[in-house]
Amino acid sequence: MGGPRFEPVRAVRAYERIVEQIEEAVESGALAPGGRLPSERELMVQFSVSRSTVREALRVLQARGLVRSRPGDPNGAEVLPFSPAALHKSMTTLARVAELSLGELVQFRMVLDGSAVLLAARLRTEEQLAEMGEAVAAMRAAADQDEEAFGAADVAFHDAVARAGGNKLIQVCTDVVRSIVLKLIADRIAAAPDREELMRRSIRHHEEVIAAVRAGDGPLAARLSRKAMYDYYAGYVDEGERSALRALLE
């Protein structure tokens, strides 16, 4: 039989509709961070639903990091500013239930870091370039004696690059993906027999990236960044995923 084919529909609960409307109000700017939703009683009237339905919607919104809600608060739930915490939680959950593999996360980080350093090479200030240099100097000083300080300096380097690129979404995603990847392979890194060589190699890669950024050569800086990521993480993913990572080096 000809004609259009339709998809099955699912019943939508009342609290989901409330969540949708409030999310749309936040996204449109009608509700700004620091603002307040109406009280529970007023929400009940406006949405024509029960108190339990309103509270269920507020629980969902709070779990998503959109509002801070206290039952019975006469002032209503507070609209929160954007935070990477919700994104971090979602991506961590996806990784834990095997929806995102380590290889996919590393590949995403290679894309993000390559983009960040490309932008940084074109947009950085002398002060931001100095921040990157200071971070690498801190890595060098910590390499032989303090792995925790080395890791903190490495994070500072990538944060400085992301800030220099000027894209806040790249900054947030980079921070989230980096922390998830490192958490997933922390035990294997700690047990690696060649950790000191890994740190020395990482410093050399960072110095090469800074040189390219200083010269304003964004494409070179991006290639070097992706290659550094590949060299560091390739040994932790299987061969099938490794080939996908190599595709970003071509």
Side-chain angles (χ1 to χ4, degrees), residues 3 14 52 77 87 102 109 130 149 161 198 215 227-229 244:
S52 62
L87 177 61
L102 177 60
R109 188 176 176 197
V161 169
L198 284 173
K227 179 64 165 57
M229 290 288 167

Side-chain angles (χ1 to χ4, degrees), residues 135-155 195-196 199-200 203:
V136 174
M139 291 172 67
R140 198 179 300 112
D144 296 326
Q145 52 190 350
D146 190 339
E147 291 183 20
E148 186 174 340
F150 180 91
D154 179 56
V155 169
R195 283 180 298 173
E196 291 184 3
M199 287 190 284
R200 286 192 291 269
I203 291 169

Side-chain angles (χ1 to χ4, degrees), residues 5-240:
R5 293 183 61 83
F6 299 105
E7 298 291 332
V9 297
R10 71 177 183 88
V12 179
R13 297 177 180 176
Y15 81 85
E16 293 177 310
R17 289 299 190 197
I18 297 173
V19 169
E20 288 176 3
Q21 289 193 46
I22 293 175
E23 284 181 332
E24 288 171 3
V26 171
E27 290 165 5
S28 69
L31 284 172
R36 294 274 186 169
L37 295 179
S39 67
E40 286 186 359
R41 183 177 296 278
E42 180 59 27
L43 289 174
M44 290 166 58
V45 172
Q46 290 190 30
F47 289 114
S48 297
V49 296
S50 66
R51 185 181 298 275
S52 62
T53 299
V54 167
R55 288 186 173 177
E56 182 63 25
L58 292 175
R59 278 194 291 270
V60 172
L61 291 165
Q62 185 160 285
R64 295 180 183 179
L66 287 176
V67 304
R68 180 165 46 233
S69 173
R70 299 180 183 86
D73 186 345
N75 296 314
E78 179 185 3
V79 179
L80 298 176
F82 172 77
S83 166
L87 177 61
H88 189 287
K89 183 176 181 180
S90 296
M91 292 186 70
T92 300
T93 300
L94 283 172
R96 284 177 177 168
V97 299
E99 292 293 334
L100 289 176
S101 68
L102 177 60
E104 288 173 314
L105 289 164
V106 171
Q107 189 178 51
F108 187 39
R109 188 176 176 197
M110 289 171 69
V111 171
L112 289 172
D113 276 56
S115 299
V117 78
L118 176 68
L119 290 169
R122 297 177 180 175
L123 302 175
R124 57 85 180 169
T125 64
E126 288 301 317
E127 291 78 10
Q128 290 166 333
L129 187 63
E131 280 184 51
M132 298 175 211
E134 289 167 4
V136 174
M139 291 172 67
R140 198 179 300 112
D144 296 326
Q145 52 190 350
D146 190 339
E147 291 183 20
E148 186 174 340
F150 180 91
D154 179 56
V155 169
F157 172 82
H158 290 286
D159 285 347
V161 169
R163 285 195 300 274
N167 186 301
K168 291 181 181 178
L169 187 56
I170 289 179
Q171 292 178 48
V172 170
C173 290
T174 297
D175 179 61
V176 169
V177 175
R178 177 181 60 222
S179 64
I180 294 172
V181 169
L182 291 177
K183 190 178 296 183
L184 289 174
I185 63 174
D187 291 342
R188 283 180 280 177
I189 291 176
D194 56 349
R195 283 180 298 173
E196 291 184 3
E197 174 55 30
L198 284 173
M199 287 190 284
R200 286 192 291 269
R201 190 188 310 161
S202 180
I203 291 169
R204 289 195 299 271
H205 283 317
H206 285 56
E207 289 172 338
E208 291 171 351
V209 169
I210 286 181
V213 170
R214 182 179 291 109
D217 192 338
L220 174 60
R223 286 196 301 273
L224 290 169
S225 177
R226 291 193 296 268
K227 179 64 165 57
M229 290 288 167
Y230 177 84
D231 288 348
Y232 191 83
Y233 291 114
Y236 299 107
V237 302
D238 61 40
E239 179 54 37

